[in-house]
Amino acid sequence: MNSLIPRTGLAKLSRLRNLERAFALLWGITRWVTLAVVLIAIGSFIDYRVDRYRDTPFSWVRLPIAVIQLVVLSIFAWKWIIRPLIKPKSIISLAHRVEEHYKQFDHRLITAIQLTRPGALTFSMSEQLIAEVALEAEDLSRKTNFNKIADIRQLKWAGALVAVPFLLLAAMILYYGVDLFWVLLQRQALQSAEIPRFNQLENKTARLHPAGDEVIIRYEVTGRISEKAVGHIRVKPDKLPAEEYPLTFESRIDENRTLFIAKVPPATVNFTFRGWVGDGRS
């Protein structure tokens, strides 16, 4: 019975399956890369915003973000890329589509495949009839281009989506700048790169002040900054709620150094404080 197998039809169906598998793979990779860039963009933005106010905690911000990214990308790598590769469409389902599109087969292709494959139940059937059906299916298969019915929707979707990750990466580079963008990418990989800041703050406040007197908090800000810039400080008195006060321009030391001050009302308890101005923080 092996000589009756519709080899041309099976070969063309196999090529059709491989073609559609390639489309599915391309669509899956495009979606996965887009998802990866989106997750990196979200993680980078969270890291950047948190770092503006404090060192981004590794154990409960950076590490969880990395774990979530890895889990999500692994799940969708399986769903979009690996599973379509190891579980392609069946030859029978593709043969059904061929016969739906090319009416001249009139069920000959599916019948020939089913009756000539190993283990087919043909006990009460005529071998001559099976041979005739297989030969007719072979003849029609040679004259028919199966690839014309390939489902190209996934190819079109991939083409429409392929520019998105590149545009998103370009937007991130424009927003952060090349150097900061590269540092944020390294930090997404849990490397210990420090986020660069244009402004650096150095505390110039005296450590001791008379109780009951107004306190002048003073910072030396390194890096060009506008005299109209307004930052803030957060003051935390012992055993009392924290309060915030504006940090404003006082004087310019030189082109690269400026003094900013904040006035804290009189207090009778010790307190700690932190300051933010420009993109710098103490």
Side-chain angles (χ1 to χ4, degrees):
M1 192 69 69
N2 288 340
S3 61
L4 303 179
I5 293 175
R7 301 184 187 282
T8 302
L10 286 172
K12 288 191 172 184
L13 287 171
S14 180
R15 286 196 291 271
L16 174 60
R17 179 167 65 180
N18 289 338
L19 182 62
E20 291 194 348
R21 183 158 52 179
F23 294 161
L25 179 62
L26 182 60
W27 172 230
I29 291 174
T30 305
R31 284 187 291 173
W32 189 87
V33 170
T34 302
L35 176 63
V37 174
V38 169
L39 291 176
I40 289 172
I42 294 172
S44 298
F45 184 74
I46 293 172
D47 185 17
Y48 175 69
R49 294 303 300 177
V50 172
D51 188 81
R52 290 290 299 272
Y53 295 94
R54 56 174 299 180
D55 291 333
T56 306
F58 181 87
S59 60
W60 57 275
V61 176
R62 291 181 60 196
L63 182 58
I65 287 175
V67 171
I68 291 171
Q69 290 171 336
L70 180 61
V71 170
V72 171
L73 290 177
S74 297
I75 291 172
F76 285 97
W78 164 258
K79 181 177 180 180
W80 291 341
I81 300 174
I82 299 174
R83 188 168 65 180
L85 284 177
I86 63 177
K87 293 184 178 180
K89 295 176 181 177
S90 72
I91 289 294
I92 295 299
S93 67
L94 290 175
H96 272 292
R97 281 174 47 198
V98 169
E99 293 201 345
E100 287 176 1
H101 190 82
Y102 297 107
K103 302 299 184 182
Q104 62 268 31
F105 278 96
D106 194 23
H107 304 294
R108 292 183 180 89
L109 181 60
I110 295 175
T111 302
I113 293 172
Q114 290 178 330
L115 294 181
T116 59
R117 62 186 176 181
L121 300 177
T122 60
F123 300 114
S124 60
M125 299 182 183
S126 166
E127 290 190 8
Q128 182 179 355
L129 178 60
I130 295 174
E132 290 178 2
V133 171
L135 289 173
E136 290 174 359
E138 274 289 271
D139 184 56
L140 289 169
S141 296
R142 292 190 188 97
K143 300 175 183 178
T144 307
N145 184 359
F146 288 9
N147 288 348
K148 278 189 175 182
I149 68 165
D151 187 352
I152 63 172
R153 289 177 299 174
Q154 292 180 324
L155 183 62
K156 292 180 178 179
W157 296 337
L161 187 64
V162 69
V164 173
F166 296 101
L167 292 174
L168 185 54
L169 288 172
M172 293 173 65
I173 292 173
L174 289 175
Y175 181 75
Y176 296 119
V178 176
D179 293 339
L180 178 55
F181 171 74
W182 176 242
V183 168
L184 290 172
L185 284 185
Q186 294 178 70
R187 289 169 65 87
Q188 291 296 288
L190 300 182
Q191 298 185 29
S192 58
E194 291 292 330
I195 293 179
R197 297 183 186 83
F198 187 76
N199 300 117
Q200 303 292 328
L201 274 62
E202 182 180 352
N203 182 22
K204 295 293 185 178
T205 308
R207 291 183 60 84
L208 298 177
H209 292 268
D213 287 0
E214 182 181 61
V215 178
I216 303 298
I217 304 296
R218 183 172 281 106
Y219 280 106
E220 180 181 307
V221 181
T222 303
R224 291 183 178 273
I225 190 167
S226 170
E227 296 179 4
K228 296 180 181 179
V230 177
H232 69 279
I233 63 168
R234 182 176 294 125
V235 176
K236 179 63 175 70
D238 290 348
K239 300 180 181 180
L240 292 173
E243 296 181 343
E244 291 192 0
Y245 302 94
L247 188 61
T248 58
F249 173 82
E250 181 188 42
S251 63
R252 190 172 295 281
I253 302 174
D254 54 38
E255 289 186 357
N256 201 48
R257 294 183 301 159
T258 311
L259 289 177
F260 275 71
I261 64 170
K263 297 180 179 181
V264 178
T268 58
V269 297
N270 294 333
F271 61 85
T272 57
F273 61 90
R274 298 186 68 185
W276 292 265
V277 65
D279 70 347
R281 57 174 171 79
S282 61

